[in-house]
Amino acid sequence: VAGAIHLTIGRSLRNLGRPEEAMAPLDRAVEQLAAAHGATDPRVLEARLERAVADDIAQRVDAYGERLAALATDAAGLPANDPVRL
């Protein structure tokens, strides 16, 4: 539950135009969701995508690219219609 709450907080901060503040809650969401569900669970991959988007909005281009590349590799095992893969 804590991971989902941190994901919601991070997403809300990012949507409010505060990507720098969103990063810590999104990082916690990734950690907590991975501990609870495994690193390749779709919820974890979604949180990782949200974290990458925060990097993009904060104009951290290199970090954004690195996160997306790692995410693409890990998301390859998801069903083709999964939103994280799209």
Side-chain angles (χ1 to χ4, degrees):
V1 174
I5 292 170
H6 286 303
L7 178 58
T8 300
I9 291 168
R11 187 180 287 144
S12 296
L13 287 167
R14 190 205 66 218
N15 288 338
L16 289 170
R18 296 160 53 186
E20 299 284 343
E21 293 175 55
M23 292 176 189
L26 291 171
D27 287 338
R28 283 193 297 276
V30 170
E31 293 169 11
Q32 292 169 336
L33 290 168
H37 305 289
T40 58
D41 183 87
R43 291 166 282 201
V44 177
L45 300 178
E46 177 187 5
R48 288 174 55 196
L49 179 60
E50 293 290 342
R51 179 59 172 86
V53 171
D55 280 328
D56 182 40
I57 294 170
Q59 299 180 346
R60 294 181 173 193
V61 178
D62 291 341
Y64 173 69
E66 291 169 10
R67 288 183 196 281
L68 279 187
L71 183 59
T73 299
D74 294 343
L78 293 175
N81 64 344
D82 192 290
V84 173
R85 253 189 99 175
L86 302 175

